[in-house]
Amino acid sequence: MDKKILRQLRLSFLIQKIKGVIAIVKLIHSKYGYETPEWTAADARLEKWLKQKKIDEKRRSDNERRIFVQKNNKKEGGAM
């Protein structure tokens, strides 16, 4: 085969040998480089989870700040 074709195949496919069976896996170019579809899906799930966790933490801190201000206003006897 031509060297150029082999280089393209190496870039776009991952050749795995598992238990004596050779499997060709299509690689996807993601922001982390070339990965298998399973790893790309796992990265997407983790990023979605981290984004939701960040939103939840912000909501929780906003609620705690609001409660703290309300308690301070009750102690002072004034309204905000």
Side-chain angles (χ1 to χ4, degrees):
M1 286 189 137
D2 189 23
K3 288 184 180 183
K4 192 174 185 180
I5 293 172
L6 285 173
R7 185 179 304 134
Q8 288 175 345
L9 282 174
R10 270 187 264 140
L11 286 177
S12 62
F13 290 95
L14 174 66
I15 300 174
Q16 294 179 339
K17 187 172 181 182
I18 303 170
K19 295 183 182 176
V21 177
I22 296 174
I24 298 176
V25 179
K26 178 85 172 139
L27 293 179
I28 298 172
H29 182 69
S30 69
K31 66 181 182 181
Y32 302 111
Y34 286 97
E35 298 179 323
T36 60
E38 293 85 11
W39 282 102
T40 306
D43 289 340
R45 285 192 303 268
L46 282 172
E47 288 173 1
K48 185 177 178 182
W49 177 79
L50 284 172
K51 183 178 178 183
Q52 186 61 43
K53 184 177 178 183
K54 189 175 182 180
I55 291 169
D56 291 343
E57 286 176 356
K58 181 168 177 20
R59 185 181 305 123
R60 188 177 307 116
S61 67
D62 288 347
N63 285 340
E64 289 171 0
R65 189 179 306 115
R66 183 178 43 81
I67 290 168
F68 180 73
V69 169
Q70 286 176 353
K71 285 182 180 179
N72 284 344
N73 284 339
K74 285 181 182 179
K75 288 181 183 177
E76 293 172 2
M80 193 171 174

